[in-house]
Amino acid sequence: MSGVIFNVVSPEITLTASTTKSMLQVTAAANHRIKILGYTVSFNEPVGDATPAQPIILTLGTQTGGSGGTSVTPVKRKGTETVLTTATHTLTSAATTTAIEKQYVNSQTGVSVMFPMGQEIEIAGSGIFGIDVTTGTLSSATLKGIFNLLIEE
């Protein structure tokens, strides 16, 4: 690894009730391992909403398949090296995910996690990592989410 640290951030994505969707996916370049250093997921549901959404199931893990979606440009924290990892958000055909981490997330608070040094999630060259969201009943408001990965290449 060359130590290039970068973020992959989705735009605001509208969630659909009672579905599972691949929200953000990154693919490591051939022969270039990456480390997932942390992630943040946030939603726009106001605290105190009279009919809050059911907890959202957040699944992070290695993925196969999935298609469509929109390209996301990784943003380097510093340096002049070229980021080789590619990224896509809002896949139109969900990927198959092998869960590394799975949790309920409150749509009024979201979640932010930074992995301790030496405990980051490593993805092999050409490997795919992604964030899936499974929603239940949503409130009457349009629920949107933003998904962010911090990665070292």
Side-chain angles (χ1 to χ4, degrees):
M1 283 185 212
S2 64
V4 177
I5 296 176
F6 59 96
N7 287 77
V8 175
V9 182
S10 77
E12 196 173 58
I13 299 171
T14 301
L15 303 179
T16 305
S18 304
T19 60
T20 297
K21 195 160 194 170
S22 297
M23 294 301 191
L24 189 60
Q25 185 182 75
V26 294
T27 303
N31 301 312
H32 286 83
R33 181 176 298 271
I34 61 174
K35 287 184 185 179
I36 307 300
L37 305 177
Y39 63 91
T40 300
V41 175
S42 58
F43 303 98
N44 71 336
E45 183 161 22
V47 174
D49 188 341
T51 56
Q54 292 178 343
I56 292 165
I57 300 172
L58 180 69
T59 306
L60 287 86
T62 55
Q63 295 186 331
T64 56
S67 62
T70 304
S71 181
V72 178
T73 301
V75 178
K76 288 185 292 187
R77 295 269 178 117
K78 62 181 178 177
T80 59
E81 299 87 354
T82 301
V83 174
L84 301 175
T85 299
T86 58
T88 305
H89 74 83
T90 324
L91 278 68
T92 52
S93 173
T96 301
T97 301
T98 301
I100 293 173
E101 186 170 312
K102 191 171 190 171
Q103 62 183 303
Y104 285 109
V105 176
N106 184 307
S107 61
Q108 294 178 331
T109 59
V111 65
S112 185
V113 172
M114 288 297 296
F115 297 110
M117 190 164 47
Q119 296 180 28
E120 306 92 346
I121 298 171
E122 290 194 21
I123 306 300
S126 301
I128 301 172
F129 179 84
I131 299 176
D132 288 352
V133 168
T134 303
T135 56
T137 303
L138 301 180
S139 65
S140 56
T142 301
L143 185 62
K144 296 181 180 182
I146 297 175
F147 306 87
N148 179 10
L149 288 171
L150 179 61
I151 301 172
E152 179 181 356
E153 186 175 74

